Amino acid sequence: MLFPVFSSPHLPAQNNVSRVMGEVLLALLPGILCATWFFGWGVLVNIVIAATTCVAAEAAVLALRGRAVRATLADRSALLTGVLLALCLPPLAPWWIPVIGSLFAIVIAKQLYGGLGYNPFNPAMIGYVVLLISYPRELTLWIPPTGIEAQHLNLNLSQTLALIFTNSLPAETTIDALTMPTPLDATKTAFGLGQTLHEIKASPLFGHFGGVGWEWINLSFLIGGLYLLARRVISWHIPAGLLGGLFLIALVFYGSDTDAFPSPLFHLFSGAAMLGAFFIATDPVSAATTPRGRLLFGAGIGVIAYVIRTWGGYPDGIAFGVLLMNMAAPTIDYYTKPRVFGQSK
Amino acid sequence: MQELALILISTVLVNNFVLVKFLGLCPFMGVSRKLETATGMGLATTFVLTLSSVCSYLVNAYLLEPLGLGYLRTIAFILTIAVVVQFTEMVVHKTSPMLYQVLGIFLPLITTNCAVLGVALLNVQEQNGFVESAVYGFGAAVGFSLVLSLFAAIRERIAVADVPVAFRGSAISLVTAGLMSLAFMGFAGLIKV
């Protein structure tokens, strides 16, 4: 065996929560820019509202509990929760949507359990699921991405702000003319109507291998994720498990009937797949911790997401997959404990 | 066969008795402090639920219905369940004294587990046949055991968390159960029943 010995100075790498969160936020940048390009200013407005609310809520709870506010806020975890939650929300959601989601995420899903490091569920996903279940109508306000000329209506910053904060639209526009189903939603509806994949793909919503816009957003999240892997902020197990699980199960069904099920590539580059695989499921607190457990954890999310996307009542299932596997994470850890070194089983 | 598989998926995930129908919450809160007891309780409940589901179907189909005694259903089912639980208790006592000690008071308490009576009554309401009743009871119990053990593992972690004083104990457990229920909403619409 080789034991590399390095000469002094033995400088430890600076590794703390604040740095990790900073790296994750940095890695989110390409995805955020891409989403803003395709979906307009609403994405950035959502991020600002959600992040502000998260940080304010965290500060308020910490102050109530008499804990060090400034020191805890410096770990940037609340900021990250807000950004992740905002990235899941439709760009034209009214202002109170990110506010309610952020409050629930930080106060109930995180601080009631004692703050960072204790929450059994991913706070951002709890916030998103609460919104999805409580306000299904507001969470469908997706606009067509830039690139679909036929139905594209460009809202500038002030129009976006007016819509988000005062619910007022530019003259002679209705919210129905402005919004459009996401590719996952459209696929589900079309299959429900008995159309084949071939017919669905002819709709202008579909790009090269995923939906128009969505494929690029997912690709930029993938790039950010690869950066995180290269910087060793996250380990490869969870993303590999999630994307591998999603790909395999999609491949099996696609192989059984290419007309009734979308291709595996479409699944990988639709909805929240990449964002979920690299940024949400890899949350070190609520995910499984053993290497084998992490693979299992990721694969579980992928399979649940596919099942919900294909047969469930919601267009995307990554959020539910993450929460359900969060629920199973302590049990997975319990049963995948690595063997103690020097002991036989 | 496909219908039985659907019943199984429906009772375990989509209409989970604890997290979606909110039945059987007392043992869910009471026995979930440790993973070992939770798994033991899950096994005992699975046994009792499947058996009592079948027995109450038989009582209903061959005793109550022919004699027109539908109004005695609740009492008759409670009696049937009590008998089945007593029987299980005797079996566990003989076969696994360890498990018997661990389960302690909770084994007789299965009698008052509303999920058990709920399954028996829902079987009648949904007009399940003999095999369907057995699968329905078994699925309900598997769903119960599944969430009970997952919940127990989570609670073992929460026990060492820095929870605000006002929320320690049952309060944070109920919050957790609520969040779990939220996650189970994801299965809604999976099976159109």
Side-chain angles (χ1 to χ4, degrees), chain A residues 61 65 104-115 118-121 126, chain B residues 19 28-29 32-33 150-181:
Chain A
V61 176
R65 290 192 69 192
F104 203 92
I106 291 295
V107 177
I108 297 195
K110 187 176 169 197
Q111 288 296 338
L112 278 199
Y113 289 95
Y118 295 119
N119 47 310
F121 296 98
I126 287 280
Chain B
L19 294 181
F28 186 65
M29 288 293 154
S32 52
R33 247 174 263 268
L150 294 181
F151 187 54
I154 297 179
R155 273 188 82 171
E156 283 187 5
R157 288 212 178 164
I158 297 176
V160 294
D162 176 28
V163 177
V165 182
F167 285 94
R168 289 206 183 132
S170 309
I172 197 71
S173 304
L174 282 165
V175 172
T176 312
L179 295 183
M180 287 171 79
S181 176

Side-chain angles (χ1 to χ4, degrees), chain A residues 65 67 104 108-109 111-115 118 120-121 126 129-130 133 285 287 289 304 307-308 311-314 320 323-324 326-331 333-335, chain B residues 19 35-36 39 147 149-151 153-154 156-158 160-165 167-168 172 175-177 179-192:
Chain A
R65 290 192 69 192
R67 299 290 163 96
F104 203 92
I108 297 195
Q111 288 296 338
L112 278 199
Y113 289 95
Y118 295 119
F121 296 98
I126 287 280
V129 165
V130 164
I133 289 169
V285 180
T289 44
I304 293 174
V307 167
I308 293 179
W311 298 286
Y314 296 96
F320 288 110
L323 290 187
L324 287 164
N326 281 167
M327 225 162 94
T331 316
D333 278 349
Y334 184 87
Y335 286 109
Chain B
L19 294 181
L35 189 57
E36 279 84 8
T39 356
V147 293
S149 3
L150 294 181
F151 187 54
I154 297 179
E156 283 187 5
R157 288 212 178 164
I158 297 176
V160 294
D162 176 28
V163 177
V165 182
F167 285 94
R168 289 206 183 132
I172 197 71
V175 172
T176 312
L179 295 183
M180 287 171 79
S181 176
L182 212 58
F184 260 70
M185 294 284 283
F187 290 120
L190 210 57
I191 289 173
K192 278 99 196 160

Side-chain angles (χ1 to χ4, degrees), chain A residues 116-270:
Chain A
L116 185 71
Y118 295 119
N119 47 310
F121 296 98
N122 187 316
M125 287 303 96
I126 287 280
Y128 174 70
V129 165
V130 164
L131 293 175
L132 189 63
I133 289 169
S134 316
Y135 310 101
R137 192 187 144 268
E138 277 74 14
L139 281 223
T140 56
L141 296 176
W142 286 96
I143 49 177
T146 310
I148 300 181
E149 267 79 21
Q151 284 161 301
H152 190 59
L153 248 156
N154 247 327
L155 289 181
N156 60 30
L157 179 59
S158 62
Q159 283 171 327
T160 312
L161 286 175
L163 180 59
I164 290 177
F165 283 98
T166 61
N167 198 19
S168 59
L169 282 162
E172 292 175 20
T173 318
T174 59
I175 197 77
D176 287 337
L178 214 58
T179 58
M180 201 176 185
T182 62
L184 276 174
D185 206 3
T187 318
K188 185 171 247 172
T189 315
F191 278 135
L193 294 174
Q195 294 182 3
T196 62
L197 189 65
H198 199 66
E199 290 170 305
I200 299 170
K201 276 223 164 135
S203 105
L205 269 175
F206 289 84
H208 303 286
F209 40 87
V212 171
W214 289 92
E215 51 193 18
W216 293 108
I217 294 174
N218 271 293
L219 212 56
S220 37
F221 280 130
L222 172 64
I223 292 167
L226 292 180
Y227 168 77
L228 286 184
L229 279 179
R231 298 283 293 163
R232 309 229 172 164
V233 174
I234 57 176
S235 74
W236 59 271
H237 301 84
I238 294 177
L242 199 161
L243 298 176
L246 185 60
F247 183 84
L248 278 183
I249 186 168
L251 189 68
V252 168
F253 281 98
Y254 183 64
S256 74
D257 188 350
T258 50
D259 252 354
F261 297 97
S263 73
L265 212 55
F266 172 78
H267 273 290
L268 286 190
F269 287 93
S270 289

Side-chain angles (χ1 to χ4, degrees), chain B residues 42-64:
Chain B
L43 284 177
T45 312
T46 308
F47 188 74
V48 170
L49 244 175
T50 316
L51 210 60
S52 72
S53 178
V54 169
C55 290
S56 50
Y57 168 79
L58 293 176
V59 167
N60 186 55
Y62 295 105
L63 210 65
L64 299 180

